[in-house]
Amino acid sequence: TLCAPIYFSILAVAVTFVSALEFAYVYSVKIVVGPNAMPQEFIDNGNYANGYYYLRFDPMMENALVWHVIIWLYLVQIVIYLGYMTLAGVFSEWYFSEWYDVAHKKKVLKHRCPVCVSFARMLRFHLGSIAFAAVILTLIRVLRGCVHYIESKTKG
């Protein structure tokens, strides 16, 4: 039971790492606009025999970067609430379990691995609720980010 938050933390780090790789790829995609007049400092250096090209962002990739950030926020919300729901199931199973002895000193759990059973129950019955809540929370975070951006632009 105590290792469950560690598993979800590892999952969150893995999702963030993969998203960072995707962000780096999308950020690195550029369009070659064409050869330009070579600046004088390049000509003096002599290392640019093949010419000088101007690169700019692909507008499609800029839009893809925005959507990658939104999807990353969504996946982070899902991972966070997977952990919350699994631990809530474990705690509820302990709370509603029977007492082992008459003196009420030890409880008997129904399952050997309450984390696995709670995770399976969460996947079967509650994953849609978690996904819907993550959509709502992601929209709220995006709207808060837009309002913060507008506020920072109007102040300064």
Side-chain angles (χ1 to χ4, degrees):
T1 302
L2 296 177
C3 293
I6 295 171
Y7 298 142
F8 290 110
S9 298
I10 291 171
L11 180 62
V13 168
V15 166
T16 302
F17 180 72
V18 169
S19 297
L21 290 177
E22 289 177 354
F23 294 156
Y25 171 73
V26 170
Y27 186 73
S28 69
V29 174
K30 308 253 190 299
I31 294 176
V32 176
V33 175
N36 287 353
M38 193 175 297
Q40 187 62 36
E41 57 267 9
F42 288 170
I43 295 172
D44 294 339
N45 193 357
N47 291 332
Y48 295 94
N50 293 333
Y52 171 74
Y53 290 94
Y54 177 72
L55 301 175
R56 70 174 172 86
F57 272 121
D58 184 3
M60 298 278 290
M61 286 297 141
E62 285 183 34
N63 295 337
L65 189 62
V66 170
W67 286 109
H68 273 78
V69 170
I70 292 172
I71 294 299
W72 176 75
L73 289 172
Y74 174 72
L75 290 176
V76 166
Q77 291 298 320
I78 284 182
V79 169
I80 288 170
Y81 287 100
L82 284 176
Y84 287 162
M85 187 72 80
T86 301
L87 288 178
V90 171
F91 298 146
S92 68
E93 184 170 337
W94 177 85
Y95 184 78
F96 292 111
S97 63
E98 299 289 328
W99 288 101
Y100 179 67
D101 59 350
V102 181
H104 298 293
K105 292 185 178 180
K106 189 173 181 183
K107 285 194 167 203
V108 176
L109 294 175
K110 295 178 184 177
H111 307 286
R112 270 187 102 144
C113 182
V115 174
C116 297
V117 171
S118 177
F119 186 72
R121 183 178 19 203
M122 181 272 310
L123 286 178
R124 183 173 180 197
F125 296 112
H126 304 293
L127 189 59
S129 300
I130 291 173
F132 183 67
V135 166
I136 293 172
L137 291 171
T138 302
L139 290 176
I140 290 171
R141 289 181 89 179
V142 167
L143 288 175
R144 284 178 63 192
C146 291
V147 168
H148 181 70
Y149 175 75
I150 292 169
E151 182 182 10
S152 68
K153 289 295 183 181
T154 56
K155 278 188 178 179

